[in-house]
Every structure is written in C-alpha cells, then in structure tokens.
Amino acid sequence: SDMQSVAAEFNLSETAFVFLASGSAAPDRPVPLRWFTPKCEVALCGHATLAAATAVHLHLRASGRDCDRLEFDTMSGLLPVTRDAATGQWSLDFPLGTVEPIAMGDRDASAALLESALGDELGVNSVLSLAHSPDRQKLLIELKPEARDQFLRLRPDTAAMVAAAPTGQRIRGVIVTVSGEGFRERDGDDSGEFDFLSRYFAPWVGIPEDPVTGAAHTVLAAYWRAKLGGRDEMLAKQCSRRGGVLRLRVDAGRGRVALTGHSVMSAHGRVAI
C-alpha cells in the first residue's frame, strides 16, 4: 500500500496516518488513524498517536477550530486524547494490557529469546521475573535492581531474537524493565522518583529499539501496578538513546490506562507519492 511505502521510506519506528474530511475536519467526530512500522501495520502505538494529536490540533487551530479533545478511530477501538491547555501535555486513553507470569523454572520455550535479548551485558541470573502479554504479543523481562547499569548499556542481538521466535506471532516485541527507585540521570538531578524504567525492542516489525512506546506501557502499567501494591499512578522513563518520560494513571475498573506526555512539532511539509 502507499501508506506502507511511505512508512518504509521514512524508516521511523512508526508513521501515523490520519484522515481528515477535506475542508471540515470536525473535532466532534472520531478521526480515522492508522500506524505503520517500516515493515507492517500495527494495532496500537502511543508516540505516533501523540504526534497525530499534535498535528490535528495545530491543523484545527490554524483554521480557527481550536480543540483540546480528540477521538481517534483505530484498530484498537476509539482512543480519546485530551490536551491540558495549561501545560500543553497530551493524555492518551488506551486499553490496559494483560500480563501473564512465566515461572522462572518454566522458560524453555523462551530461553533462546531471553538469552539473545539480554545480549552480552547480562545473563539469566540478572533476571528477576518474566511475563507475557498475549494481547500485545510482548515478552516482559524484569531485571534485578543491581543490574540497572547493565540495563542502561544493554545491546540485544536482534537478529538472534528473530531467529529464536521466527514467526513473530506469540511475541512481536520484548520489554526489558527495572525498578526506578533512586534513579538519577545525572548528578544533581532531583527527578529521581521514577517507579520503573524500561527499554523496548521489536525487530520482528522493523524496530531494533523504539524511542518511547505507548503500547508497551499499557503492559508495563498493569505489571508494575500489581508489583507496587495496586498503585494507580506511576512515573516511568523509557531509557532509549532519545528517551522519554510518561505519567501513567490506571483505571482498573474500566480496563484503561492514561498515558501523559509532551509533544513538539519539529517539521512541516508535503510528501509526493
């Protein structure tokens, strides 16, 4: 498709496509939204939704229709997105992911994948627990707190990861996470209140490492909420080279999680197809 070709040409982790009615783009009805990696279409994406919301908001504002609430029509259903006018932050209302523990003594099926995901920096003795999200098709690896420095330097063998799970059906992404307690990014940093840190790797869909991953945080929110005694509000940092900070608010009764963060418009132009 043309959308897949454009996403492959941009070669970013995801490219979002929104469909606005010509000349109207009314904010009172859902806006169709689709996401593509360089290799395939995906069912849910956070940072591309954040970017899409920013672009639509600026488009509406330029035509005199300022709007701080949008609703996107996607493969994952209707996704409300709201903007705090005072802070400029966007909040994405996403479905909460499911998490199923994997017993540490019962990991034969994922042993090769686990080894390749840990790379040369870490061994299985650094792993605290494992889990799988069937609806998001993700393997979650929690590391022991003392392995945090190695986590920050982690370089998975992505080719070996794909070879270990060649179909990419049960697992299409690997989340590596560790407690954020006491974490400081630099000397004098006073924002060390992160509940957890994470990194995300999805070579099956053309993403060696994702900068910031909303879909993974729907799983992380469920996982860390249980670990932290049912805490509904959490602060998370994804520690890719670019990195990003997310505020999470779980609504377990509705099975939803709000992901809140900033966005910046860095370029504007036209693509010829």
mmCIF file of all heavy atoms in Angstrom, residues 174-204:
data_model
loop_
_atom_site.group_PDB
_atom_site.id
_atom_site.type_symbol
_atom_site.label_atom_id
_atom_site.label_comp_id
_atom_site.label_asym_id
_atom_site.label_seq_id
_atom_site.Cartn_x
_atom_site.Cartn_y
_atom_site.Cartn_z
ATOM 1 N N VAL A 174 9.920 -7.177 22.805
ATOM 2 C CA VAL A 174 10.479 -7.532 24.112
ATOM 3 C C VAL A 174 10.660 -6.265 24.941
ATOM 4 O O VAL A 174 11.324 -5.317 24.505
ATOM 5 C CB VAL A 174 11.825 -8.274 23.975
ATOM 6 C CG1 VAL A 174 12.464 -8.495 25.349
ATOM 7 C CG2 VAL A 174 11.634 -9.610 23.260
ATOM 8 N N ILE A 175 10.043 -6.261 26.118
ATOM 9 C CA ILE A 175 10.189 -5.167 27.078
ATOM 10 C C ILE A 175 11.198 -5.600 28.134
ATOM 11 O O ILE A 175 11.059 -6.681 28.718
ATOM 12 C CB ILE A 175 8.854 -4.859 27.778
ATOM 13 C CG1 ILE A 175 7.748 -4.548 26.771
ATOM 14 C CG2 ILE A 175 9.017 -3.724 28.781
ATOM 15 C CD1 ILE A 175 6.353 -4.569 27.376
ATOM 16 N N VAL A 176 12.199 -4.771 28.372
ATOM 17 C CA VAL A 176 13.126 -5.007 29.483
ATOM 18 C C VAL A 176 12.906 -3.879 30.479
ATOM 19 O O VAL A 176 12.934 -2.693 30.109
ATOM 20 C CB VAL A 176 14.595 -5.043 29.011
ATOM 21 C CG1 VAL A 176 15.513 -5.394 30.176
ATOM 22 C CG2 VAL A 176 14.769 -6.047 27.873
ATOM 23 N N THR A 177 12.663 -4.223 31.735
ATOM 24 C CA THR A 177 12.311 -3.215 32.732
ATOM 25 C C THR A 177 13.052 -3.464 34.037
ATOM 26 O O THR A 177 13.517 -4.584 34.304
ATOM 27 C CB THR A 177 10.776 -3.197 32.960
ATOM 28 O OG1 THR A 177 10.438 -2.111 33.815
ATOM 29 C CG2 THR A 177 10.298 -4.498 33.584
ATOM 30 N N VAL A 178 13.173 -2.408 34.830
ATOM 31 C CA VAL A 178 13.856 -2.483 36.122
ATOM 32 C C VAL A 178 13.301 -1.378 37.010
ATOM 33 O O VAL A 178 12.801 -0.360 36.513
ATOM 34 C CB VAL A 178 15.388 -2.345 35.934
ATOM 35 C CG1 VAL A 178 15.761 -0.936 35.462
ATOM 36 C CG2 VAL A 178 16.151 -2.705 37.201
ATOM 37 N N SER A 179 13.362 -1.582 38.298
ATOM 38 C CA SER A 179 12.880 -0.567 39.235
ATOM 39 C C SER A 179 13.613 0.759 39.019
ATOM 40 O O SER A 179 14.809 0.793 38.746
ATOM 41 C CB SER A 179 13.103 -1.051 40.674
ATOM 42 O OG SER A 179 12.867 0.009 41.594
ATOM 43 N N GLY A 180 12.878 1.851 39.167
ATOM 44 C CA GLY A 180 13.480 3.174 39.020
ATOM 45 C C GLY A 180 13.803 3.836 40.338
ATOM 46 O O GLY A 180 14.195 5.009 40.365
ATOM 47 N N GLU A 181 13.662 3.103 41.431
ATOM 48 C CA GLU A 181 13.871 3.693 42.752
ATOM 49 C C GLU A 181 15.286 4.269 42.869
ATOM 50 O O GLU A 181 16.280 3.578 42.630
ATOM 51 C CB GLU A 181 13.656 2.649 43.835
ATOM 52 C CG GLU A 181 13.753 3.213 45.241
ATOM 53 C CD GLU A 181 13.467 2.173 46.309
ATOM 54 O OE1 GLU A 181 13.170 1.015 45.952
ATOM 55 O OE2 GLU A 181 13.556 2.517 47.502
ATOM 56 N N GLY A 182 15.363 5.561 43.217
ATOM 57 C CA GLY A 182 16.645 6.217 43.409
ATOM 58 C C GLY A 182 17.395 6.552 42.140
ATOM 59 O O GLY A 182 18.530 7.018 42.190
ATOM 60 N N PHE A 183 16.770 6.344 40.977
ATOM 61 C CA PHE A 183 17.467 6.569 39.711
ATOM 62 C C PHE A 183 17.717 8.049 39.482
ATOM 63 O O PHE A 183 16.844 8.888 39.641
ATOM 64 C CB PHE A 183 16.638 5.999 38.563
ATOM 65 C CG PHE A 183 17.217 6.266 37.196
ATOM 66 C CD1 PHE A 183 18.375 5.633 36.783
ATOM 67 C CD2 PHE A 183 16.590 7.147 36.326
ATOM 68 C CE1 PHE A 183 18.898 5.864 35.520
ATOM 69 C CE2 PHE A 183 17.095 7.388 35.059
ATOM 70 C CZ PHE A 183 18.262 6.744 34.657
ATOM 71 N N ARG A 184 18.947 8.384 39.097
ATOM 72 C CA ARG A 184 19.318 9.749 38.725
ATOM 73 C C ARG A 184 19.999 9.706 37.370
ATOM 74 O O ARG A 184 20.920 8.914 37.158
ATOM 75 C CB ARG A 184 20.292 10.369 39.754
ATOM 76 C CG ARG A 184 19.713 10.543 41.161
ATOM 77 C CD ARG A 184 18.655 11.630 41.208
ATOM 78 N NE ARG A 184 18.287 11.966 42.564
ATOM 79 C CZ ARG A 184 17.422 11.295 43.307
ATOM 80 N NH1 ARG A 184 16.839 10.216 42.808
ATOM 81 N NH2 ARG A 184 17.131 11.672 44.535
ATOM 82 N N GLU A 185 19.537 10.535 36.450
ATOM 83 C CA GLU A 185 20.143 10.561 35.128
ATOM 84 C C GLU A 185 21.474 11.298 35.128
ATOM 85 O O GLU A 185 22.333 11.052 34.288
ATOM 86 C CB GLU A 185 19.190 11.229 34.139
ATOM 87 C CG GLU A 185 17.915 10.441 33.915
ATOM 88 C CD GLU A 185 17.051 11.100 32.863
ATOM 89 O OE1 GLU A 185 16.279 11.995 33.211
ATOM 90 O OE2 GLU A 185 17.171 10.703 31.690
ATOM 91 N N ARG A 186 21.646 12.196 36.057
ATOM 92 C CA ARG A 186 22.876 12.977 36.115
ATOM 93 C C ARG A 186 23.028 13.514 37.529
ATOM 94 O O ARG A 186 22.070 13.557 38.304
ATOM 95 C CB ARG A 186 22.839 14.133 35.114
ATOM 96 C CG ARG A 186 21.630 15.046 35.300
ATOM 97 C CD ARG A 186 21.457 16.031 34.159
ATOM 98 N NE ARG A 186 20.273 16.856 34.348
ATOM 99 C CZ ARG A 186 19.050 16.483 33.976
ATOM 100 N NH1 ARG A 186 18.862 15.299 33.421
ATOM 101 N NH2 ARG A 186 18.019 17.291 34.159
ATOM 102 N N ASP A 187 24.214 13.923 37.880
ATOM 103 C CA ASP A 187 24.460 14.478 39.206
ATOM 104 C C ASP A 187 23.579 15.702 39.421
ATOM 105 O O ASP A 187 23.460 16.569 38.559
ATOM 106 C CB ASP A 187 25.933 14.874 39.355
ATOM 107 C CG ASP A 187 26.852 13.659 39.397
ATOM 108 O OD1 ASP A 187 26.335 12.550 39.674
ATOM 109 O OD2 ASP A 187 28.052 13.817 39.127
ATOM 110 N N GLY A 188 22.971 15.771 40.594
ATOM 111 C CA GLY A 188 22.126 16.904 40.934
ATOM 112 C C GLY A 188 20.713 16.801 40.425
ATOM 113 O O GLY A 188 19.900 17.681 40.686
ATOM 114 N N ASP A 189 20.386 15.714 39.691
ATOM 115 C CA ASP A 189 19.030 15.530 39.173
ATOM 116 C C ASP A 189 18.074 15.288 40.330
ATOM 117 O O ASP A 189 18.308 14.416 41.162
ATOM 118 C CB ASP A 189 19.018 14.343 38.211
ATOM 119 C CG ASP A 189 17.657 14.135 37.559
ATOM 120 O OD1 ASP A 189 16.780 14.981 37.762
ATOM 121 O OD2 ASP A 189 17.491 13.133 36.858
ATOM 122 N N ASP A 190 17.001 16.071 40.407
ATOM 123 C CA ASP A 190 16.050 15.932 41.513
ATOM 124 C C ASP A 190 14.753 15.260 41.062
ATOM 125 O O ASP A 190 13.751 15.312 41.762
ATOM 126 C CB ASP A 190 15.740 17.296 42.150
ATOM 127 C CG ASP A 190 15.108 18.268 41.161
ATOM 128 O OD1 ASP A 190 14.961 17.904 39.974
ATOM 129 O OD2 ASP A 190 14.769 19.388 41.588
ATOM 130 N N SER A 191 14.780 14.626 39.870
ATOM 131 C CA SER A 191 13.555 13.990 39.368
ATOM 132 C C SER A 191 13.594 12.472 39.544
ATOM 133 O O SER A 191 12.934 11.747 38.815
ATOM 134 C CB SER A 191 13.366 14.324 37.879
ATOM 135 O OG SER A 191 14.427 13.796 37.120
ATOM 136 N N GLY A 192 14.386 12.008 40.508
ATOM 137 C CA GLY A 192 14.570 10.579 40.696
ATOM 138 C C GLY A 192 13.418 9.914 41.414
ATOM 139 O O GLY A 192 13.631 9.221 42.408
ATOM 140 N N GLU A 193 12.202 10.104 40.956
ATOM 141 C CA GLU A 193 11.037 9.484 41.568
ATOM 142 C C GLU A 193 10.380 8.501 40.616
ATOM 143 O O GLU A 193 9.205 8.204 40.727
ATOM 144 C CB GLU A 193 10.035 10.567 41.988
ATOM 145 C CG GLU A 193 10.599 11.533 43.021
ATOM 146 C CD GLU A 193 9.614 12.643 43.382
ATOM 147 O OE1 GLU A 193 8.504 12.644 42.809
ATOM 148 O OE2 GLU A 193 9.962 13.489 44.210
ATOM 149 N N PHE A 194 11.141 7.999 39.654
ATOM 150 C CA PHE A 194 10.577 7.066 38.691
ATOM 151 C C PHE A 194 10.220 5.757 39.377
ATOM 152 O O PHE A 194 11.001 5.200 40.145
ATOM 153 C CB PHE A 194 11.571 6.793 37.560
ATOM 154 C CG PHE A 194 11.882 8.006 36.721
ATOM 155 C CD1 PHE A 194 13.112 8.638 36.822
ATOM 156 C CD2 PHE A 194 10.939 8.530 35.850
ATOM 157 C CE1 PHE A 194 13.397 9.755 36.059
ATOM 158 C CE2 PHE A 194 11.212 9.650 35.083
ATOM 159 C CZ PHE A 194 12.444 10.259 35.185
ATOM 160 N N ASP A 195 9.034 5.254 39.072
ATOM 161 C CA ASP A 195 8.629 3.965 39.620
ATOM 162 C C ASP A 195 9.312 2.825 38.882
ATOM 163 O O ASP A 195 9.638 1.797 39.487
ATOM 164 C CB ASP A 195 7.110 3.818 39.538
ATOM 165 C CG ASP A 195 6.407 4.789 40.465
ATOM 166 O OD1 ASP A 195 6.519 4.609 41.689
ATOM 167 O OD2 ASP A 195 5.777 5.740 39.969
ATOM 168 N N PHE A 196 9.528 3.002 37.577
ATOM 169 C CA PHE A 196 10.243 1.979 36.825
ATOM 170 C C PHE A 196 10.847 2.581 35.573
ATOM 171 O O PHE A 196 10.445 3.647 35.105
ATOM 172 C CB PHE A 196 9.316 0.803 36.465
ATOM 173 C CG PHE A 196 8.158 1.163 35.581
ATOM 174 C CD1 PHE A 196 8.291 1.182 34.198
ATOM 175 C CD2 PHE A 196 6.919 1.487 36.124
ATOM 176 C CE1 PHE A 196 7.230 1.517 33.376
ATOM 177 C CE2 PHE A 196 5.836 1.817 35.310
ATOM 178 C CZ PHE A 196 5.999 1.836 33.931
ATOM 179 N N LEU A 197 11.838 1.870 35.039
ATOM 180 C CA LEU A 197 12.494 2.224 33.796
ATOM 181 C C LEU A 197 12.235 1.104 32.799
ATOM 182 O O LEU A 197 11.955 -0.038 33.189
ATOM 183 C CB LEU A 197 14.005 2.386 33.994
ATOM 184 C CG LEU A 197 14.476 3.191 35.208
ATOM 185 C CD1 LEU A 197 16.003 3.156 35.286
ATOM 186 C CD2 LEU A 197 13.969 4.619 35.137
ATOM 187 N N SER A 198 12.355 1.401 31.518
ATOM 188 C CA SER A 198 12.152 0.349 30.524
ATOM 189 C C SER A 198 12.912 0.652 29.248
ATOM 190 O O SER A 198 13.328 1.790 28.993
ATOM 191 C CB SER A 198 10.655 0.180 30.196
ATOM 192 O OG SER A 198 10.178 1.305 29.475
ATOM 193 N N ARG A 199 13.080 -0.412 28.446
ATOM 194 C CA ARG A 199 13.535 -0.302 27.066
ATOM 195 C C ARG A 199 12.715 -1.299 26.251
ATOM 196 O O ARG A 199 12.199 -2.273 26.805
ATOM 197 C CB ARG A 199 15.037 -0.569 26.951
ATOM 198 C CG ARG A 199 15.869 0.501 27.674
ATOM 199 C CD ARG A 199 17.348 0.204 27.625
ATOM 200 N NE ARG A 199 17.870 0.291 26.259
ATOM 201 C CZ ARG A 199 19.153 0.034 25.936
ATOM 202 N NH1 ARG A 199 20.003 -0.326 26.893
ATOM 203 N NH2 ARG A 199 19.550 0.132 24.693
ATOM 204 N N TYR A 200 12.597 -1.033 24.947
ATOM 205 C CA TYR A 200 11.705 -1.871 24.141
ATOM 206 C C TYR A 200 12.339 -2.170 22.783
ATOM 207 O O TYR A 200 12.823 -1.271 22.092
ATOM 208 C CB TYR A 200 10.363 -1.168 23.925
ATOM 209 C CG TYR A 200 9.398 -1.977 23.101
ATOM 210 C CD1 TYR A 200 8.870 -3.166 23.595
ATOM 211 C CD2 TYR A 200 9.030 -1.570 21.826
ATOM 212 C CE1 TYR A 200 7.991 -3.925 22.835
ATOM 213 C CE2 TYR A 200 8.144 -2.316 21.066
ATOM 214 C CZ TYR A 200 7.628 -3.495 21.580
ATOM 215 O OH TYR A 200 6.766 -4.245 20.831
ATOM 216 N N PHE A 201 12.305 -3.468 22.421
ATOM 217 C CA PHE A 201 12.940 -3.949 21.198
ATOM 218 C C PHE A 201 11.928 -4.782 20.405
ATOM 219 O O PHE A 201 11.330 -5.714 20.943
ATOM 220 C CB PHE A 201 14.167 -4.792 21.542
ATOM 221 C CG PHE A 201 15.103 -4.112 22.507
ATOM 222 C CD1 PHE A 201 14.989 -4.331 23.886
ATOM 223 C CD2 PHE A 201 16.070 -3.232 22.058
ATOM 224 C CE1 PHE A 201 15.830 -3.685 24.779
ATOM 225 C CE2 PHE A 201 16.923 -2.584 22.947
ATOM 226 C CZ PHE A 201 16.799 -2.806 24.316
ATOM 227 N N ALA A 202 11.750 -4.455 19.116
ATOM 228 C CA ALA A 202 10.772 -5.162 18.283
ATOM 229 C C ALA A 202 11.307 -5.367 16.872
ATOM 230 O O ALA A 202 10.752 -4.849 15.895
ATOM 231 C CB ALA A 202 9.447 -4.415 18.260
ATOM 232 N N PRO A 203 12.395 -6.128 16.715
ATOM 233 C CA PRO A 203 12.967 -6.317 15.370
ATOM 234 C C PRO A 203 12.025 -7.058 14.423
ATOM 235 O O PRO A 203 12.174 -6.945 13.197
ATOM 236 C CB PRO A 203 14.238 -7.137 15.652
ATOM 237 C CG PRO A 203 13.990 -7.807 16.971
ATOM 238 C CD PRO A 203 13.164 -6.837 17.751
ATOM 239 N N TRP A 204 11.040 -7.800 14.943
ATOM 240 C CA TRP A 204 10.072 -8.513 14.098
ATOM 241 C C TRP A 204 9.282 -7.553 13.207
ATOM 242 O O TRP A 204 8.852 -7.934 12.133
ATOM 243 C CB TRP A 204 9.096 -9.314 14.966
ATOM 244 C CG TRP A 204 9.742 -10.392 15.746
ATOM 245 C CD1 TRP A 204 9.953 -11.693 15.363
ATOM 246 C CD2 TRP A 204 10.277 -10.272 17.067
ATOM 247 N NE1 TRP A 204 10.583 -12.382 16.374
ATOM 248 C CE2 TRP A 204 10.796 -11.537 17.430
ATOM 249 C CE3 TRP A 204 10.365 -9.226 17.980
ATOM 250 C CZ2 TRP A 204 11.391 -11.785 18.671
ATOM 251 C CZ3 TRP A 204 10.960 -9.453 19.204
ATOM 252 C CH2 TRP A 204 11.473 -10.724 19.544
#
